[in-house]
Amino acid sequence: MLLYPVISFGQQKDLTDSTEYRFGLPVSNDDTTKRVRSDLDPANQWIAVKRTDIPKKLRRTLERNDIYEGWEEGELFFDKSINRYLLRIRREDVVTTYGLAADGSPVSFTEEKMVSGDSVN
């Protein structure tokens, strides 16, 4: 008499994929990644910054880098929730927007061509 092994399968696990993806990368509950808002996210609370309230490192960066030429005539804003500064400089018909950290390191950059009649705001 030949004996054949009998293989028994228990309940099959749920095979649905519950992997969450952020910025195209898989993450799990123990990952330390966080969602990042864009500088121009409507939820941001940009508050105008007085020249006297600009952090020293940021001021030094603005004064020493030619890329920020004209920053004194621009508008500087701060959003406490994302700890970021936004500098908007208008040069002729182009508004350049720089996102900056408090230490002056660049975070983002955009340029917009103004249509006649548009304001910087």
Side-chain angles (χ1 to χ4, degrees):
M1 178 163 122
L2 291 173
L3 294 175
Y4 294 97
V6 177
I7 300 174
S8 172
F9 293 99
Q11 287 183 327
Q12 186 174 5
K13 289 187 174 184
D14 183 14
L15 297 178
T16 59
D17 186 8
S18 63
T19 304
E20 181 182 352
Y21 292 87
R22 290 188 198 149
F23 303 106
L25 300 172
V27 295
S28 65
N29 291 337
D30 63 342
D31 282 338
T32 58
T33 60
K34 64 178 181 178
R35 298 189 188 280
V36 177
R37 290 195 331 229
S38 160
D39 285 343
L40 303 178
D41 189 310
N44 293 346
Q45 301 291 318
W46 295 108
I47 297 174
V49 177
K50 296 178 187 175
R51 300 284 181 243
T52 56
D53 294 337
I54 299 174
K56 289 179 185 179
K57 286 184 179 181
L58 177 57
R59 178 181 288 276
R60 193 174 316 125
T61 298
L62 296 175
E63 292 172 345
R64 293 182 180 178
N65 291 293
D66 291 341
I67 194 168
Y68 304 117
E69 182 180 342
W71 73 270
E72 299 90 346
E73 289 82 38
E75 299 173 300
L76 185 66
F77 301 94
F78 179 70
D79 184 339
K80 183 170 72 171
S81 67
I82 60 174
N83 196 29
R84 191 164 303 154
Y85 288 85
L86 197 70
L87 173 64
R88 293 174 54 89
I89 303 171
R90 183 173 184 162
R91 296 180 185 110
E92 296 179 17
D93 63 342
V94 175
V95 175
T96 306
T97 304
Y98 302 94
L100 301 157
D103 66 358
S105 57
V107 178
S108 64
F109 171 86
T110 60
E111 280 190 339
E112 304 169 67
K113 186 167 177 81
M114 301 298 292
V115 179
S116 62
D118 282 351
S119 66
V120 175
N121 299 343

